[in-house]
Amino acid sequence: MAIQVGDRLPNIELQVMGSNGPEKVQTGDLFAGKKVVLFAVPGAFTPTCSAAHLPGFVVDADTLKAKGVDSIICTSVNDTFVMDAWGKAQNADEIIMLADGIGAFATALGLDKDLTAVQFGTRSQRYAMIVNDGVVELLNVDEKGIDKSSAETILAAL
């Protein structure tokens, strides 16, 4: 069963790129005491993710933060090096690029998706959520496109 509004996010060890290479982080620490916009994509450097989803959050980062958001986090079932390179290529300086390399977070949320048929393996569904001190306040999952999980939709919900 997928995570629901009102549920607390699981505490999972993931990675971000630090100044000396990949660094372990606990999701519990990333969300504790903060209002966070978390969005997930099926894959870094993929067409919709690179052309529309991540760029919307890059453009609207200041507006999201002006509405009381402490952090913006992008996650994908990709390794730390890929997430870091994608963030740099997209000028995503204001966004934490969170690597869910083995899909542990996506699976724990119940928001994983089997894309083996197209040679991607298990990935994350496309979604966005507003999380307050680790508790999900809004969860929008897209079956197709990015209408429910776009930066504009999340801005309108804040």
Side-chain angles (χ1 to χ4, degrees):
M1 185 169 123
I3 195 161
Q4 302 289 317
V5 170
D7 290 348
R8 179 165 294 283
L9 292 178
N11 189 30
I12 304 287
E13 184 179 277
L14 300 176
Q15 291 187 342
V16 295
M17 186 59 74
S19 57
N20 294 316
E23 294 179 356
K24 295 176 182 179
V25 294
Q26 294 293 134
T27 55
D29 294 336
L30 291 172
F31 295 94
K34 298 175 188 165
K35 186 167 205 156
V36 178
V37 169
L38 169 68
F39 69 102
V41 299
F45 289 107
T46 56
T48 300
C49 305
S50 291
H53 206 186
L54 177 57
F57 285 95
V58 170
V59 168
D60 287 328
D62 290 338
T63 307
L64 287 162
K65 289 185 175 183
K67 288 197 169 213
V69 171
D70 297 302
S71 300
I72 304 164
I73 300 174
C74 175
T75 189
S76 182
V77 180
N78 289 106
D79 66 60
T80 313
F81 296 99
V82 169
M83 290 299 286
D84 182 56
W86 189 42
K88 287 176 180 171
Q90 293 283 329
N91 297 312
D93 301 329
E94 297 297 315
I95 298 173
I96 297 168
M97 302 302 284
L98 185 62
D100 185 13
I102 60 171
F105 190 58
T107 300
L109 294 177
L111 293 171
D112 53 324
K113 184 174 186 173
D114 184 0
L115 295 175
T116 304
V118 293
Q119 302 289 317
F120 276 25
T122 300
R123 295 294 178 115
S124 177
Q125 293 182 52
R126 184 183 306 283
Y127 66 84
M129 61 175 72
I130 299 171
V131 181
N132 196 354
D133 194 25
V135 177
V136 179
E137 289 186 342
L138 173 81
L139 172 61
N140 291 349
V141 180
D142 279 307
E143 293 298 319
K144 291 188 176 186
I146 64 167
D147 293 338
K148 294 178 183 177
S149 64
S150 71
E152 295 81 10
T153 299
I154 298 304
L155 270 170
L158 286 169

